[in-house]
Each structure stands twice: as structure tokens, then as C-alpha cells.
Amino acid sequence: MAASSKSAVQLSLINSSVEAVLPVRGRKHKVAGLFAGIGGLERGLERAGHEPKLFCENDPAAMAVLANKYPEVKLHDDICTLERVPRGTSLLTAGFPCQDLSQAGRTVGISGARSGLVGEVFRLLEQNRVPSVLLENVPFMLQLGRGSAMDLITTEFERLGYAWAYRVVDARAFGLPQRRRRVYFYASLRDDPRAVLFADDAEETNERALNGCLRERRIDGEPVACGFYWTEGIRGLGWAPDALPTLKSGSAVGIPSPPAMLMPDGNIVTPDIRDAEKLQGFPQDWTKAAERVARRSARWKLVGNAVSVPAAAWLGSRLRDPGKVLDFSLSALKGSPWPTAAWNVGYGRMRVEASEWPDKKPYKSVLKYLKRDPVPLSERAARGFYERLERTNLNLPDGFKAAVKEYLDRITTKTTEHAVSNRRSGSDQQSAFL
């Protein structure tokens, strides 16, 4: 950005929002949710008293969930045909599609056909400068294209006169046993966005690492389960002691692939979809209505794409009651890569040394979320995963590969014994017939 243009943007920001208007406490927003999914962001905001007025979503399964849970809220199916947001909208939310921004996706960047839909957000803001905007996406967007995605987004908001701030936040900060890091980007025409995102900070928890005590699978004497991606093994593992790695929408080819857990008894299982819903902060069977228009397995995609409700509730509470900006270490943000936290409130882009834990809610072990019988990992899946571990150069947790081999041997023996039993039973039935 040219120096003169940048100065004009900064002057616009100062005059329009940050210094001229103090945060209004107790404000209840009327919310228009774009790319709403199953409403995780809006449900969390609703907990804090904000009111959803519009959902825009084109996935039939997600639309079925929204129609079931919010029958009174207008539902639009295509952002490209949405002419404007409802009158009186004060907060626009957008968890715009992350497939092209995700490290697990095609990484073609903000210009990708799906992620490029964020341009529709700016089209709507050009028509109606909604006072506040809240975006959510994956952290890899900060690195993609050497920061070009973030530069595009921030430049557009600056051009429109918004002050902005963003922060990477881990869902574990709110007590959820799921390592789920997401970027929350808040822009405002009238408030200081720092008072929403940077009024809280807590010391990051230890990883509750099990290296050295994996064989016992206990922490402080208590049994624990360790989550990992059974579909990986070569490039990554997603290892998560006493937690699950990020719930994903599916594999690269769209097949639902819930993460696995190494249980205290040595079994390897995957969680039930209803427990996965709770791991995102939803009531169980929140996505049940999706089965009216899609297969049951489609619910994994919906849950994997959703915003964690407790994280959204924290944002909602700070939108209602902005706090005092904490004293973080700052430095000028120049070039790439983009940091995990930053802001521009009228004086240029600043790098912020903030943790990914704005809160530290009491931690609930992942085992306590398993109210339904988990599904044992099949012999075929376990064998494929173990073969990948044999070829990997990853630094695996101590004893992990041995634990997988032990499980594989055990279920292989059971499968063989079952097959032999079936053959004997069939032979006995044939003899009796003869």
C-alpha cells in the first residue's frame, strides 16, 4: 500500500471509530450469519444475548439443521444471490469456506473459487456498512501465499474504514478436550476491536504430554485417552494427549474420517458422532435433522466444519461487555509471515504478543465426553495405519507404535478365531443337514 494511501486509511480509522467512540456496554447485536454451517458461531453469540436474523448457507444438510433449530430465522441458500442483509443488522458473521485456505486442502489461496467467496462479504459491506464484522477461519490462512490472503482481507477492511484485530484461539481454553486452533477476526466502525479480542489472557496449559508414561496412559494417576489421526502417519499424526486433534470435515476425497483414540486399556476406537457434537459444544443430536436429506455420515462434515460454541460464546460476551485492553508487547507488522495476533486501530498494523488462551476454563477429560460406545478401529484401518508408521520419519511418542502393533495383533487374532469358528459352524450345519 502506498504511504499516502496508508495514511488516509489510518486517518479514516481514527476519525470513524476508535478514538471518537467508546465501547457501548450491554449492546445486543442483530446478527446476519454468512456461510453459517450448522450455526456454531451464532449459537455461541446467542448465548450472550445476541439475536440471529439471517442465515446464509448452501449445504442442504446444514440448511436442514438450521431450519430445524432456528425455524423463525430467515434462511437464504446462496450468498451470490443475497442482495443485502436485513435492515438493522449490527453484526455480520462469516466463517467463509476454508477448503482452499486449509493446510489440508488444495492451498490455492484466497483466489480459490470457494475461498474467493469472501469477496461477497465485501460486496455486501459496500452496500451496507454493517457496524461490526466477525470472521472465522483456519490458522493456515496467515501463511498462505506468503500472507497474501490476510493482506487482501485487512486491506479491504481498511479501505472501508474499519478498525480490525484478530487472534488465533485454541478451543481448549474453554475446557473442550479438542486441540482446535482458529483465527477470529473482528472489525468495527464504531468500537475498539481490541476490547473484544484482547481484554482477556490466560497462561497456556501444558500439553499434558505423555512421552515417557505412554505405556501407562495415565496423568497424575488418572487414566487418559490419546487422540490422533488414523488416516495419517506419514506427514503428521495430530497427537493429542487427553484430547482429540481437530475434528475435520473429512479426508481429502471427502470421506468422513473421525479421529481415533488410544484408550487406557489399549484399544483403539473412534468416537460416536453424538459425542463429537458435544466436543464442539453442541447438545447431542444437534445435527440429527441432516439425516432427512443426507447420509448419517454427512454429520461428521457438519461437525468438523463448525465453530466451537464455547469460543463463540466468549466472543459474544465480550461483544456485550468489552473490557480493558491488556498490556501486550507490540511491534510493527512488516511483511510476512503474519503473526498469531495483530491489530490496526488507526496507527498501522501491529504484531501482538498474545497467547492463544484468552481464558482457562476447568478442563474436562476427553474420556468424560464418551457417553456412547465408541467404534473399534477395524483391522484393515489399523493395519494400514501401522504400515504407514513403519515408513514414517515422524518423531512418534514413546511407545506409541508398539501400542498400535499390540492392538493390531489382538484384533487380527480375534478376526482369525471368528473366521475359524464360522467355518466350523458351517461344517457342523452341513453335517446335520446330511
Side-chain angles (χ1 to χ4, degrees), residues 210-212 214-215 226-228 237 239-241 389 394-403:
L210 288 183
N211 291 341
L214 176 61
R215 298 180 192 280
C226 303
F228 62 94
L237 186 62
W239 184 250
L389 292 183
L394 294 174
N395 184 21
L396 300 173
D398 180 42
F400 177 63
K401 188 163 73 171

Side-chain angles (χ1 to χ4, degrees), residues 171-172 174-178 278-281 308 310 363-364 369:
R172 292 179 298 169
F174 309 102
L176 291 178
Q178 181 195 174
K278 291 186 292 181
L279 282 161
Q280 283 282 59
S308 296
Y363 193 87
K364 185 177 179 180
Y369 278 79

Side-chain angles (χ1 to χ4, degrees), residues 24 26-32 42 45-46 48-53 88-93 130-134 186-191 196 315-322:
V24 178
R27 177 187 294 136
K28 295 183 180 181
H29 283 288
K30 295 187 182 299
V31 183
E42 293 75 20
L45 295 174
E46 187 181 34
H50 307 290
E51 181 183 4
K53 302 297 291 185
T89 296
S90 57
L91 176 65
L92 189 70
T93 63
V130 176
S132 298
V133 182
L134 178 62
Y186 180 56
S188 182
L189 289 172
R190 61 188 180 190
D191 296 337
V196 172
L315 290 164
S317 65
R318 274 302 178 202
L319 286 165
R320 284 289 304 275
D321 185 18

Side-chain angles (χ1 to χ4, degrees), residues 361-374:
K361 297 293 186 186
Y363 193 87
K364 185 177 179 180
S365 172
V366 69
L367 289 174
K368 295 182 179 180
Y369 278 79
L370 305 182
K371 302 302 182 183
R372 306 281 177 169
D373 291 335

Side-chain angles (χ1 to χ4, degrees), residues 48-276:
H50 307 290
E51 181 183 4
K53 302 297 291 185
L54 168 75
F55 290 119
C56 186
E57 173 58 51
N58 70 348
D59 184 307
M63 291 176 68
V65 174
L66 293 173
N68 175 260
K69 298 300 181 181
Y70 295 96
E72 74 287 355
V73 178
K74 181 180 178 181
L75 180 58
H76 189 84
D77 65 351
D78 186 354
I79 190 170
C80 295
T81 63
L82 182 64
E83 296 182 358
R84 60 177 55 249
V85 297
R87 186 184 300 274
T89 296
S90 57
L91 176 65
L92 189 70
T93 63
F96 60 92
C98 64
Q99 290 93 328
D100 290 326
L101 294 180
S102 172
Q103 193 166 16
R106 294 180 294 160
T107 63
V108 298
I110 198 71
S111 60
R114 291 188 297 274
S115 295
L117 290 173
V118 71
E120 297 295 326
V121 176
F122 296 118
R123 173 181 65 83
L124 292 168
L125 291 176
E126 288 275 15
Q127 297 174 358
N128 179 6
R129 299 292 171 85
V130 176
S132 298
V133 182
L134 178 62
L135 306 180
E136 176 269 348
N137 216 295
V138 295
F140 190 62
M141 70 179 290
L142 302 175
Q143 308 170 34
L144 194 59
R146 297 184 178 181
S148 61
M150 280 302 295
D151 187 61
L152 181 151
I153 291 171
T154 53
T155 298
E156 281 297 288
F157 274 108
E158 289 165 353
R159 181 181 66 81
L160 293 172
Y162 287 84
W164 59 262
Y166 75 80
R167 184 176 186 175
V168 175
V169 173
D170 192 326
R172 292 179 298 169
F174 309 102
L176 291 178
Q178 181 195 174
R179 183 187 286 123
R180 189 179 188 89
R181 301 170 65 244
R182 288 295 183 266
V183 178
Y184 294 99
F185 181 104
Y186 180 56
S188 182
L189 289 172
R190 61 188 180 190
D191 296 337
D192 185 342
R194 300 174 302 177
V196 172
L197 289 178
F198 294 100
D200 303 292
D201 201 53
E203 181 183 353
E204 294 189 20
T205 190
N206 294 328
E207 288 293 320
R208 299 169 63 87
L210 288 183
N211 291 341
C213 62
L214 176 61
R215 298 180 192 280
E216 293 78 21
R217 285 182 284 282
R218 288 178 177 272
I219 294 178
D220 298 330
E222 295 295 323
V224 296
C226 303
F228 62 94
Y229 292 131
W230 63 269
T231 54
E232 299 288 346
I234 297 295
R235 295 178 298 176
L237 186 62
W239 184 250
D242 199 16
L244 285 180
T246 304
L247 295 175
K248 299 189 294 185
S249 60
S251 65
V253 293
I255 300 174
S257 54
M261 292 178 287
L262 176 60
M263 303 294 278
D265 61 4
N267 284 324
I268 297 178
V269 301
T270 58
D272 185 278
I273 183 61
R274 292 163 290 188
D275 291 336

